[in-house]
Amino acid sequence: VQLQASGGGLVQAGGSLRLSCAASGRTFSSYDMGWFRQAPGKEREFVAQIRWSGSSTDYADSVKGRFTISRDNAKNTVYLQMNSLKPEDSADYYCAAKKRKILSSFLAGRQDFDYWGQGTLVTVSS
């Protein structure tokens, strides 16, 4: 599966952005999807993931209550709605895919992603 992220940009603190990630192929619903981010000089970190059916989601504590991951399997697209943005949310954001798993493995496998898109840059000004 090939992934193409978009929607990054410059926003003021407290503002919102919605990232999109379009996937190629006809088997999008075979994959659990995730978002990660990497700020300059820092390691890549998990942000959120969503199960293949959309029935379960999982968030990093740092974004819980502010970010929402969703997907539209008919459009082969996963989204990340980011609200109440903070300067520390500034980073390159990457979408990723992994073959769908049972629920327990999905939740335990925050780092077990096999396919990655290019990043889209989010900058939050104070």
Side-chain angles (χ1 to χ4, degrees):
V1 60
Q2 292 185 319
L3 306 172
Q4 179 80 32
S6 61
L10 174 64
V11 63
Q12 288 189 330
S16 298
L17 277 177
R18 188 176 82 155
L19 306 183
S20 299
C21 175
S24 64
R26 296 175 290 178
T27 59
F28 182 66
S29 60
S30 297
Y31 296 92
D32 299 330
M33 300 296 296
W35 287 97
F36 290 73
R37 66 187 182 187
Q38 187 168 22
K42 295 189 176 181
E43 292 189 354
R44 185 175 63 197
E45 65 172 343
F46 168 83
V47 174
Q49 61 176 341
I50 186 166
R51 207 153 172 232
W52 64 275
S53 61
S55 60
S56 295
T57 57
D58 177 35
Y59 297 92
D61 288 343
S62 58
V63 306
K64 201 172 293 184
R66 300 188 298 121
F67 290 12
T68 302
I69 188 171
S70 62
R71 65 189 295 160
D72 185 337
N73 285 349
K75 295 183 178 179
N76 283 11
T77 302
V78 62
Y79 304 98
L80 186 68
Q81 177 67 44
M82 305 186 294
N83 298 330
S84 303
L85 282 161
K86 305 175 182 180
E88 52 263 43
D89 294 318
S90 297
D92 277 310
Y93 282 72
Y94 299 86
C95 61
K98 58 183 176 181
K99 280 287 193 178
R100 67 189 199 188
K101 304 179 187 298
I102 60 173
L103 181 57
S104 57
S105 296
F106 162 77
L107 294 173
R110 284 184 169 185
Q111 302 298 327
D112 296 341
F113 284 82
D114 305 305
Y115 304 94
W116 297 84
Q118 91 297 344
T120 185
L121 180 63
V122 172
T123 303
V124 184
S125 63
S126 57

